[in-house]
Amino acid sequence: DPERYKFRTMRQSLSDAADVLDLQIETIAKIVQTHYDLSPSDFGDPSVQAQSEIHAVGRIVPDSTTTEEFLNMDSLALETSRMAGVGRRTRLDFTDIDEISLFCGQIVAIRGKNADGDSFKVNEVLPLPYPNSPVSTLDELQKCSAALEGKPLKTLVTNGPYFPCNSFDLHFLEQFTERVNSEIKPHVLIMFGPFIDVTNPMIAKGAIPHFPHLKHQPNTLDEVFTKVMVPILKKIRQDIQVILIPSTRDAISKHASYPQDSYNRKYLQLPKNFKCFVNPATFQLNEVFFGCSNVDTYKDMKEMTKGGNTSMRNRFDRVSEHILQQRRFYPVFPGGIKKKLLSTSNDGKKVYEHISGADLEVPYLGLTEFVGNFTPDIIIIPSEMHHFARVGQNVIMINPGRFIGHSGKPGTYAEISITGPDLENGNLTKVEGPEPTFLHNVWKRARVDIVTI
Amino acid sequence: GNGINGLEPLESTISDTERFKDVANFRLSCPNCSCSFDFGGIIASSDYTVCPNGLQCRKCDHLFTPLQISCQLERCIRSHISLYYAGWIQCDDPTCGDATRQVSVFGKLCLNNGCTGVRYKYSDKMLYNQLLYFDSLFDCEKNKKLELKPLRHIDDAHSSPEKLSEASIKVLTEQNRRLLEINRSVVQKYLSDCGRRYVDMGRIFDFMQ
């Protein structure tokens, strides 16, 4: 419900934030209890000494409040919920665990014993169950199939910034819109912000050049968007749906926290084929569910891993599985921050300038959970890391990469083609029930290309 | 946090000098000579002059375009908002005092044992005051009435030798009205979304349900 994203920002209360952090543990605890068929008495308080083995659910936190960087397996603690352990934190001992990947903010379910009152020795880590996939009825699928007229559903995904950090050169965007119109002709184009990145060094220096082709120079960054970028975006053909997902680094959004309200289409003078969605957004194109989130989970999730098999795996796959298991697009807490070292004094004290961050609005993190408790068919989370498209747990995870690279070189976009739902070729899995439904199996039917712009 | 720390006068009755005593200055950098300086409204400064057709850097005589000021203002506001959302937390107990971004499921409880309570280091009130301060710099009435917070103390070595007369400030304000209003609209964009500005009736009357 997009209305729920229209809260006022800059008024975060510590107790509201704590309520949400507590609820996250309780919610997963219930899921674990049902999935593993445990009774409430199997769970105990890991922070107190006990003779017997217990199950516990809690959040992975550092064992000291002041160390946030350079954590390892020996410096982690488990935070309990208010109900389970009065919110106490207990050091964790992972010596008996061979393979594991952990990060701060992760909710975990473990079995073990606190023998000396000092630390909880983990004997087993219970993997969190993956959420279910969405299904459609025969009727719905036939409608979707008919709408496509036998052609595959073609979707393009781009991610800002759309101009380099040293010039307002938009010719890449211009070339791209021409190719979209005449060559690629997608059904839908999903564009992630930032369109105007407030952390762009040109803006910090005030060094925005003159726009020679404009009679009236823009006075604000909002006007730079409406006068310089909108005319290019308007060239995209009317029959192509354009979906805009905001970024918290974007000057054209006044809502600078995540979860984030949508851009204001009318204020930004965008034409009618543009749809402004919230961040994160879950939506359906035909039968396919898309989950889009615009905070860099792939960069911010700093994992601590143990075991050869775990660390040998592709890191993006591990992070993707964490996202699915946690059922949230950005499960890292506290959120990532980006700072710049300004100076180091003689006594080694470092002075930093804050640049940007995940800007989490903690009391509203509930809005960043998977809608309806099922996993989208395709999850798109743009990242500064290398672009990729991978299938994990039957979900397609995509990072389209930046539209313009760091050095101003052409970047990439993602092109997704999904063949229409065909009941004949056996690509859809039937789920028996009073009314039979079908799994979409989009991962079997889709092809994702990462293309240089 | 949104608690009231001890006794405080009503927000509406305190003066701007008191309200803005802890705010950060608005630092502008000149796109031409890359020197940077604090902007304090239409006042005498050794770094910049406000002339009839805009803001001018004293070092290189570069005349700022409105966008060259407003984009820096917007980025400055956004870095304050982002710092607020970084959620740094400080313990009320002066002997504890280490800053952290860890939040307990009990929120106001300090994670080091035995402390009284914690709060956001950059509170929503501080952020709101910071935005109000930026707003005041581009407020024509406050500029004219010389109600702006002075940039530095008078005995500071940097202080400008020549003072601007009240009459010339009035004239300069009118001549730069459009420039001031453009920048004010940028601050207002964020003030309009700031939750502190609006009384949350639901929360106040929570007890009646």
Side-chain angles (χ1 to χ4, degrees):
Chain A
D1 181 9
E3 282 303 309
R4 289 173 61 206
Y5 289 70
K6 295 207 181 302
F7 55 86
R8 290 194 194 281
T9 54
M10 299 173 244
R11 185 109 167 95
Q12 197 168 228
S13 112
L14 206 44
S15 45
D16 291 349
D19 285 347
V20 167
L21 293 173
D22 189 54
L23 190 65
Q24 287 175 348
I25 304 176
E26 289 292 331
T27 313
I28 299 278
K30 274 199 200 94
I31 292 171
V32 169
Q33 197 187 323
T34 335
H35 181 78
Y36 287 100
D37 201 17
L38 297 165
S39 84
S41 61
D42 291 330
F43 292 87
D45 179 354
S47 62
V48 293
Q49 192 176 352
Q51 301 290 325
S52 55
E53 210 173 52
I54 54 158
H55 285 90
V57 175
R59 176 179 293 106
I60 294 292
V61 292
D63 69 346
S64 139
T65 52
T66 46
T67 52
E68 219 168 78
E69 286 151 293
F70 317 117
L71 290 170
N72 58 48
M73 277 294 153
D74 300 320
S75 59
L76 296 178
L78 185 80
E79 177 180 49
T80 54
S81 68
R82 298 172 194 166
M83 286 275 282
V86 214
R88 276 190 295 257
R89 296 178 170 203
T90 318
R91 281 217 352 234
L92 289 174
D93 178 350
F94 285 106
T95 34
D96 284 357
I97 302 293
D98 295 330
E99 301 279 345
I100 193 164
S101 154
L102 298 164
F103 64 93
C104 285
Q106 180 182 7
I107 312 289
V108 290
I110 49 179
R111 186 173 56 80
K113 192 158 76 174
N114 184 345
D116 53 1
D118 212 33
S119 68
F120 187 83
K121 186 157 190 164
V122 185
N123 294 332
E124 189 197 351
V125 180
L126 287 73
L128 302 187
Y130 290 101
N132 290 328
S133 296
V135 290
S136 295
T137 60
L138 189 64
D139 213 31
E140 288 166 339
L141 290 170
Q142 274 163 349
K143 265 186 207 143
C144 294
S145 186
L148 285 168
E149 295 165 336
K151 282 180 290 197
L153 174 73
K154 208 186 245 186
T155 309
L156 294 191
V157 188
T158 64
N159 168 38
Y162 295 95
F163 53 83
C165 58
N166 53 9
S167 80
F168 251 95
D169 181 5
L170 283 163
H171 89 272
F172 285 121
L173 187 64
E174 258 167 304
Q175 280 175 0
F176 176 72
T177 52
E178 273 166 34
R179 275 182 63 201
V180 166
N181 284 342
S182 57
E183 208 182 298
I184 315 170
K185 296 176 192 161
H187 295 90
V188 182
L189 166 60
I190 304 172
M191 298 181 92
F192 285 80
F195 289 87
I196 295 179
D197 185 348
V198 280
T199 66
N200 185 312
M202 258 191 311
I203 290 171
K205 288 187 213 129
I208 298 188
H210 193 77
F211 298 98
H213 64 288
L214 290 180
K215 206 166 136 205
H216 296 287
Q217 291 298 307
N219 288 323
T220 59
L221 291 173
D222 285 356
E223 284 182 23
V224 171
F225 182 74
T226 53
K227 290 185 172 178
V228 182
M229 296 186 83
V230 171
I232 298 171
L233 295 173
K234 265 188 179 158
K235 287 183 194 153
I236 297 171
R237 269 180 16 199
Q238 295 283 312
D239 57 340
I240 298 172
Q241 280 270 6
V242 185
I243 292 171
L244 302 187
I245 311 270
S247 154
T248 55
R249 291 206 320 268
D250 212 323
I252 60 172
S253 171
K254 63 175 182 177
H255 184 130
S257 68
Y258 177 83
Q260 185 180 18
D261 194 9
S262 55
Y263 296 132
N264 186 331
R265 186 181 68 83
K266 285 206 178 117
Y267 173 74
L268 297 175
Q269 303 169 20
L270 290 162
K272 281 236 167 69
N273 58 325
F274 280 68
K275 296 260 177 304
C276 294
F277 282 4
V278 291
N279 173 26
T282 303
F283 53 89
Q284 218 174 346
L285 300 177
N286 283 340
E287 81 285 7
V288 184
F289 275 89
F290 283 77
C292 291
S293 170
N294 203 358
V295 189
D296 201 338
T297 318
Y298 287 99
K299 191 183 111 209
D300 289 352
M301 191 183 285
K302 308 247 180 333
E303 284 173 292
M304 284 128 306
T305 56
K306 189 177 174 183
N309 294 339
T310 308
S311 43
M312 284 281 282
R313 294 187 60 207
N314 182 299
R315 180 176 167 266
F316 294 132
D317 286 343
R318 288 196 309 256
V319 176
S320 301
E321 282 170 13
H322 280 313
I323 293 168
L324 297 176
Q325 287 184 324
Q326 301 290 313
R327 300 164 189 238
R328 286 183 283 142
F329 292 106
Y330 191 86
V332 181
F333 186 84
I337 46 175
K338 194 169 172 181
K339 52 192 181 178
K340 194 170 97 188
L341 185 65
L342 288 181
S343 61
T344 313
S345 66
N346 293 333
D347 55 344
K349 215 170 176 184
K350 289 179 168 140
V351 182
Y352 291 97
E353 183 195 358
H354 181 90
I355 305 285
S356 64
D359 300 333
L360 303 182
E361 187 96 49
V362 187
Y364 290 87
L365 280 184
L367 295 173
T368 70
E369 287 167 10
F370 288 176
V371 177
N373 235 335
F374 63 77
T375 164
D377 297 306
I378 298 179
I379 293 182
I380 307 169
I381 302 178
S383 170
E384 275 182 36
M385 319 286 290
H386 201 259
H387 53 74
F388 66 83
R390 304 183 72 86
V391 178
Q393 306 301 324
N394 298 355
V395 179
I396 303 176
M397 312 285 287
I398 301 172
N399 165 26
R402 290 162 56 115
F403 191 80
I404 298 282
H406 281 288
S407 48
K409 285 196 195 108
T412 51
Y413 67 88
E415 187 177 325
I416 311 167
S417 325
I418 307 164
T419 55
D422 185 350
L423 293 158
E424 315 288 88
N425 68 5
N427 265 349
L428 304 169
T429 311
K430 193 171 178 181
V431 182
E432 298 296 343
E435 188 189 6
T437 51
F438 295 86
L439 285 171
H440 302 148
N441 290 346
V442 174
W443 58 284
K444 284 188 188 168
R445 299 157 39 206
R447 178 197 162 95
V448 184
D449 292 287
I450 306 282
V451 190
T452 305
I453 58 165
Chain B
N2 51 352
I4 297 167
N5 314 314
L7 280 178
E8 273 179 27
L10 269 179
E11 290 274 310
S12 53
T13 59
I14 62 169
S15 71
D16 274 7
T17 334
E18 180 61 24
R19 194 198 306 272
F20 298 149
K21 72 180 195 316
D22 295 321
V23 298
N25 288 332
F26 171 38
R27 206 156 177 80
L28 260 175
S29 69
C30 172
N32 188 40
C33 68
S34 5
C35 72
S36 62
F37 53 83
D38 291 332
F39 176 79
I42 301 179
I43 52 159
S45 158
S46 48
D47 300 311
Y48 68 90
T49 44
V50 179
C51 62
N53 33 14
L55 176 75
Q56 203 166 14
C57 169
R58 279 218 178 200
K59 237 188 200 147
C60 67
D61 289 340
H62 171 78
L63 191 68
F64 283 72
T65 67
L67 179 60
Q68 284 170 346
I69 305 169
S70 73
C71 76
Q72 294 193 55
L73 175 65
E74 185 143 14
R75 127 105 202 182
C76 181
I77 292 171
R78 290 293 284 265
S79 64
H80 276 279
I81 295 176
S82 184
L83 180 61
Y84 167 76
Y85 278 113
W88 286 97
I89 279 167
Q90 200 165 34
C91 183
D92 283 334
D93 190 336
T95 58
C96 174
D98 273 322
T100 178
R101 290 170 65 227
Q102 292 291 317
V103 184
S104 144
V105 290
F106 280 108
K108 283 168 185 161
L109 197 76
C110 182
L111 287 158
N112 295 329
N113 288 330
C115 292
T116 42
V118 293
R119 63 200 149 75
Y120 281 121
K121 207 173 160 189
Y122 198 163
S123 68
D124 49 358
K125 183 176 163 189
M126 284 159 76
L127 179 61
Y128 180 53
N129 282 343
Q130 184 69 54
L131 292 182
L132 287 180
Y133 169 68
F134 290 147
D135 185 66
S136 76
L137 294 178
F138 303 101
D139 181 329
C140 292
E141 292 313 304
K142 283 187 177 168
N143 268 293
K144 278 190 196 165
K145 287 187 193 148
L146 314 179
E147 282 175 349
L148 300 184
K149 183 200 166 199
L151 272 183
R152 296 180 186 87
H153 289 295
I154 303 146
D155 52 21
D156 198 311
H158 266 78
S159 74
S160 160
E162 13 154 10
K163 283 210 108 157
L164 283 173
S165 75
E166 213 179 315
S168 57
I169 288 181
K170 270 192 179 141
V171 174
L172 284 170
T173 306
E174 280 311 321
Q175 284 164 335
N176 286 289
R177 181 171 277 277
R178 211 176 77 85
L179 180 72
L180 293 169
E181 280 170 355
I182 288 165
N183 283 288
R184 206 169 173 206
S185 74
V186 172
V187 190
Q188 287 294 334
K189 173 172 149 189
Y190 295 98
L191 270 173
S192 72
D193 204 55
C194 177
R196 196 170 169 94
R197 200 168 228 208
Y198 301 87
V199 179
D200 185 348
M201 287 301 190
R203 184 163 288 226
I204 288 176
F205 294 107
D206 228 9
F207 67 93
M208 290 177 75
Q209 289 166 5

